Amino acid sequence: MNLIKYTLLATSLLVVGSCMEHDLSSLSSDVNLEIGLAIPLIHSTTTLGDLLPDNESISTDEDGFIRISYRQDSIAQILSDSLLILENSEPTDEEFTIGEINLPDFTTSRSVVMSELITNLENSVLSTQITEAIAYSQTFGSAYFPPIEEQSGGVYNAQGSDQFQSILISDGLLGISITNNLAIDLSLLTLRLSNSIDNSVLGVFEFSNIITGATASTSLPLEGLLLYSDLKMEILNLASNGTGNDPLDQSQWVPISNNDELNIVIEGQGLVAIEGLVKFPSQIGPDSTFTVSMDFDEDVEIDFIELAAGQFVYSFESDLNTTLELNIEIPQLLDENNNSFSEVIQIVNSGLVTNSVSLEDYKFAFTNNTNQLQVNYSSQILESLNFVSYNQTDQISLSIGMEDLEFDLVQGYFGQIEEVITEDILDLDLSTLSDIAAGIILETPSLIFTADNSIGIPFEIDLELVGENGGEHVNLDGPMFEIASEQESTATFDNTNSQLSELVALNPTSISYSGSVISNPLGNTGMPNALRPNTSITLGFEMDLPLHLRIQDAKTLDTLDLSFDFENPAHMIESVKMKLHTQNEFPLDVELTMFFQDSISGIVLDSLKVDLLQAAQVDETGKTIEARIYDSNISITSGQFEALLNSNKTILDIRMNSYDSDNTAIKLYTDYEFVIDAGILVELKIEE
């Protein structure tokens, strides 16, 4: 009867939630000698792959080596538009005056015939005598000409230049020549030249001994004189010996006619006027050179700018009362055919005029790194048909500038421009590592920052990366990041040059980044910078976390089902032992505790702690050489056994530390296995 009962008990104990591959037959005793049972309890095979969370960041190499990888192509961007802005240049103002003008030479002549001269002589008796002599000469061919004692000879008008009505002269000469076409020699002729308008005297000219048929000349400097076009000539003194004192000496008689004349010629030569009422002659006007500075930083040296858009804006205001053509040339501003910019501005009369010229497809070609444009201007005064007022201080104000400049290409040296990388949070979740196990210290992590630089300028980035967890901070504290121009550049941060392991081990809840970027960190090396619109530096990163590591107090749990379908047989049991067999391929020391749980209530009924399961040894590369096998018998108290029978779950609490963790780093592969086989050896009481 008891044998049947024990058999039924043994059968029921074999109904458990998992099977055991390890052969426990050696634990059974011959029932004829001793009543005992070997009951399989637990079989668990755990690979490292089983411990990995479901996360797209986790990957394996071909040999199963595990790594965690993150990548983000763009975390920050520096745009070329922020490095160089072509501001509207402050207009450059240039003022110039028209200055002196050169008037054309003029010549005017006036003939004083004998009939006029006789009429204007002061001595009326003498006038009658000469009149009678003329009549006698007309009849007989010659006559006696009485002497003329000094006396005035009358006032005569003359028309001067038709190019002005009045001018104030700064330079020039007034020439007077007198040709004596009278029948007698003149011993004296004094001539006074005046302006008819105001009778202002220009000069007094004295001639002596002008023989018949001869010409006498003199000149008068006009500097500082006001000259009108209407002139007045006065013969102040006229004297002649006539044909002598003997009226009867016919050998001295001469032919005399009313048409005999004094021919007076007035010439204006080299006249330079500083004001007046004139007809402007066509002539060269003012010319000069000035510079327009581009508004760049002090150490920026631009060689070349190819423009996509922009306006050359100019305005002028003139006091001048005639038309002036102003030619502006900028040698450093070239069109698509490499011709210098040239613009002809016609300034018509007075007033303010503003205009603009498109600079699309133009380019700046600076010389000597001056960042300045040389502006040459010259002018041409056009002829005026009417009299207009003029003054040498008449002013033309010229203002030129450039607006709305956009570039296609800029070359030169841009100096050391610093741009700030605004602080932001890196989109990076490192909790994957802590999901595998806590206390992981990586041996060979790497963080590679990438920079796609389409700007033709080298840069240096000082990047600050700070992890934070619960008020604790770790700064990456890595080196500067050098970025070559127009290339993709990388900078690797690892344990040799930064605190990357410490940052990762912190398991940061947030990682902030900030910093600064500076152009041309080595200064002007002689290699020109190049800048185009819509280019940029795009910063990204790749983080590679190979599971080549040290683990301290890592923990994982495994839960297995149990099922015992019978009443508590504790009164039938003499003793209980657990037979434990492990194969540890993990290069980790394992501390194993079994918890027996009633999952319905959630209460852990009891536990069983297993001695340390030593790690598998590793080679010099950190890879497992062979599994560590461990076999033992563990005594179980009646209370533990009762808890086991009342449980429907067993929880395996596995705590791990890397092999020789102070000195040796290990590598984790997905195919590493940790196998646990456990069974219960029950010795039953024999009842008589």
Side-chain angles (χ1 to χ4, degrees):
M1 180 68 181
N2 287 336
L3 181 58
I4 295 172
K5 185 176 181 180
Y6 296 150
T7 303
L8 291 173
L9 173 61
T11 303
S12 64
L13 286 172
L14 288 171
V15 181
V16 294
S18 58
C19 64
M20 183 175 184
E21 293 180 353
H22 186 65
D23 185 9
L24 292 178
S25 62
S26 62
L27 302 179
S28 301
S29 300
D30 191 332
V31 294
N32 293 320
L33 300 178
E34 183 180 3
I35 301 302
L37 298 173
I39 306 169
L41 179 64
I42 297 171
H43 171 69
S44 173
T45 300
T46 303
T47 67
L48 271 178
D50 296 332
L51 299 178
L52 298 178
D54 185 14
N55 193 296
E56 62 182 8
S57 301
I58 299 175
S59 63
T60 57
D61 296 346
E62 290 183 359
D63 60 357
F65 181 54
I66 305 168
R67 63 180 67 242
I68 301 173
S69 302
Y70 303 91
R71 178 189 178 99
Q72 192 169 337
D73 292 332
S74 177
I75 62 171
Q77 195 172 48
I78 296 96
L79 301 177
S80 60
D81 295 344
S82 68
L83 300 175
L84 181 68
I85 299 175
L86 297 181
E87 302 280 1
N88 292 342
S89 64
E90 288 294 328
T92 299
D93 297 323
E94 180 75 3
E95 295 181 350
F96 58 89
T97 55
I98 199 64
E100 302 170 334
I101 60 172
N102 298 310
L103 294 173
D105 293 348
F106 70 88
T107 300
T108 184
S109 62
R110 177 67 162 89
S111 294
V112 179
V113 296
M114 181 61 75
S115 58
E116 289 180 294
L117 189 60
I118 295 170
T119 302
N120 289 307
L121 289 175
E122 292 181 44
N123 189 335
S124 59
V125 174
L126 178 60
S127 297
T128 301
Q129 291 174 348
I130 296 173
T131 300
E132 292 174 350
I134 291 171
Y136 188 87
S137 176
Q138 294 295 316
T139 302
F140 300 102
S142 62
Y144 170 72
F145 200 107
I148 303 174
E149 295 180 354
E150 288 187 27
Q151 59 188 293
S152 64
V155 177
Y156 307 92
N157 292 321
Q159 180 62 47
S161 173
D162 60 358
Q163 297 300 303
F164 62 84
Q165 290 183 348
S166 64
I167 55 173
L168 182 60
I169 298 173
S170 64
D171 197 11
L173 295 174
L174 196 64
I176 302 291
S177 63
I178 297 177
T179 301
N180 182 9
N181 291 320
L182 299 176
I184 56 176
D185 299 338
L186 297 177
S187 58
L188 176 67
L189 177 64
T190 302
L191 186 69
R192 181 167 64 193
L193 185 64
S194 304
N195 290 308
S196 295
I197 301 298
D198 61 359
N199 293 318
S200 58
V201 177
L202 298 174
V204 176
F205 309 93
E206 188 171 299
F207 304 92
S208 59
N209 300 319
I210 307 174
I211 64 175
T212 299
T215 299
S217 300
T218 189
S219 62
L220 169 70
L222 295 175
E223 181 178 356
L225 295 180
L226 180 64
L227 178 64
Y228 287 87
S229 58
D230 293 331
L231 301 176
K232 180 173 67 174
M233 299 179 294
E234 298 177 68
I235 300 177
L236 297 179
N237 286 304
L238 180 68
S240 174
N241 292 325
T243 55
N245 293 323
D246 184 1
L248 300 178
D249 186 0
Q250 294 186 6
S251 63
Q252 300 298 318
W253 289 7
V254 292
I256 306 172
S257 169
N258 280 323
N259 295 323
D260 292 347
E261 64 181 6
L262 287 173
N263 188 28
I264 303 172
V265 177
I266 302 172
E267 293 181 299
Q269 301 173 352
L271 298 180
V272 179
I274 57 176
E275 67 174 270
L277 196 62
V278 301
K279 291 181 180 178
F280 273 98
S282 178
Q283 62 183 290
I284 301 282
D287 59 72
S288 186
T289 297
F290 62 94
T291 58
V292 176
S293 296
M294 302 295 288
D295 189 17
F296 299 131
D297 290 339
E298 185 177 349
D299 59 344
V300 175
E301 299 172 356
I302 301 301
D303 300 323
F304 178 84
I305 301 177
E306 187 175 294
L307 295 174
Q311 299 289 326
F312 176 80
V313 181
Y314 63 86
S315 63
F316 58 84
E317 189 169 11
S318 173
D319 295 333
L320 192 63
N321 291 312
T322 190
T323 301
L324 181 140
E325 282 189 349
L326 186 65
N327 181 47
I328 295 178
E329 182 184 22
I330 305 177
Q332 295 87 0
L333 183 57
L334 308 176
D335 65 14
E336 56 189 353
N337 297 316
N338 290 322
N339 297 317
S340 295
F341 175 88
S342 181
E343 181 76 5
V344 177
I345 303 170
Q346 192 169 81
I347 301 174
V348 180
N349 298 323
S350 59
L352 176 65
V353 176
T354 300
N355 206 349
S356 64
V357 179
S358 173
L359 293 179
E360 184 178 359
D361 296 328
Y362 273 83
K363 49 183 173 279
F364 296 123
F366 296 102
T367 57
N368 301 322
N369 297 322
T370 60
N371 298 338
Q372 291 182 332
L373 299 175
Q374 176 182 312
V375 180
N376 302 325
Y377 69 84
S378 58
S379 61
Q380 177 75 32
I381 299 173
L382 301 186
E383 180 181 7
S384 63
L385 300 179
N386 300 314
F387 293 109
V388 294
S389 61
Y390 151 76
N391 191 291
Q392 66 173 349
T393 60
D394 287 346
Q395 182 172 278
I396 296 174
S397 299
L398 174 66
S399 177
I400 68 171
M402 282 162 284
E403 297 179 356
D404 304 325
L405 296 180
E406 298 178 12
F407 63 86
D408 273 336
L409 173 65
V410 183
Q411 289 181 336
Y413 174 62
F414 287 79
Q416 294 184 316
I417 305 170
E418 185 171 357
E419 291 286 319
V420 174
I421 299 175
T422 305
E423 183 174 352
D424 203 350
I425 301 299
L426 200 63
D427 185 14
L428 178 61
D429 182 7
L430 292 180
S431 63
T432 304
L433 198 61
S434 62
D435 290 341
I436 296 173
I440 291 178
I441 300 176
L442 296 176
E443 192 73 11
T444 57
S446 68
L447 175 59
I448 301 175
F449 282 104
T450 60
D452 185 1
N453 182 13
S454 58
I455 303 174
I457 305 174
F459 292 88
E460 181 180 71
I461 293 182
D462 183 5
L463 193 63
E464 184 171 343
L465 202 69
V466 179
E468 190 272 334
N469 188 342
E472 186 178 353
H473 298 80
V474 173
N475 194 321
L476 181 64
D477 197 21
M480 296 287 193
F481 182 7
E482 303 293 338
I483 301 177
S485 64
E486 296 184 310
Q487 294 183 30
E488 292 185 4
S489 303
T490 61
T492 301
F493 297 77
D494 54 30
N495 287 347
T496 66
N497 62 3
S498 69
Q499 298 190 96
L500 183 56
S501 281
E502 290 84 346
L503 179 68
V504 173
L506 180 65
N507 188 25
T509 54
S510 69
I511 300 176
S512 64
Y513 66 90
S514 60
S516 62
V517 57
I518 188 168
S519 61
N520 296 304
L522 299 179
N524 192 348
T525 62
M527 293 293 292
N529 300 153
L531 189 65
R532 294 184 182 275
N534 303 318
T535 54
S536 63
I537 302 173
T538 301
L539 296 178
F541 74 89
E542 299 175 10
M543 179 178 279
D544 184 29
L545 305 179
L547 296 191
H548 183 198
L549 47 80
R550 303 169 193 271
I551 295 181
Q552 294 180 349
D553 297 326
K555 178 182 177 180
T556 187
L557 297 175
D558 192 11
T559 302
L560 301 173
D561 292 331
L562 297 174
S563 178
F564 298 101
D565 190 15
F566 57 88
E567 295 180 359
N568 189 340
H571 64 284
M572 303 179 190
I573 296 174
E574 181 69 28
S575 66
V576 180
K577 292 183 180 180
M578 178 175 284
K579 175 67 175 180
L580 184 65
H581 173 82
T582 63
Q583 298 180 53
N584 184 13
E585 209 172 18
F586 289 10
L588 304 167
D589 291 334
V590 177
E591 296 179 7
L592 176 62
T593 302
M594 299 178 185
F595 293 95
F596 309 128
Q597 183 187 46
D598 176 9
S599 64
I600 297 175
S601 65
I603 297 174
V604 174
L605 303 178
D606 211 334
S607 64
L608 181 64
K609 187 171 184 179
V610 179
D611 291 339
L612 178 68
L613 305 176
Q614 293 184 342
Q617 291 188 345
V618 297
D619 59 20
E620 65 278 359
T621 68
K623 189 170 184 180
T624 294
I625 299 173
E626 61 180 355
R628 179 88 69 170
I629 298 175
Y630 176 84
D631 287 294
S632 66
N633 292 324
I634 304 171
S635 294
I636 299 178
T637 66
S638 58
Q640 289 174 322
F641 185 59
E642 184 175 356
L644 175 62
L645 294 178
N646 292 325
S647 302
N648 59 6
K649 299 280 186 184
T650 181
I651 301 172
L652 302 182
D653 184 324
I654 303 171
R655 296 178 183 272
M656 296 169 286
N657 286 277
S658 58
Y659 166 77
D660 193 15
S661 61
D662 290 338
N663 301 305
T664 305
I666 61 171
K667 292 184 177 179
L668 299 186
Y669 291 80
T670 54
D671 58 354
Y672 283 173
E673 291 184 340
F674 180 72
V675 180
I676 301 177
D677 283 312
I680 301 297
L681 297 178
V682 181
E683 183 180 346
L684 302 176
K685 293 179 181 179
I686 300 176
E687 297 180 2
E688 296 298 336

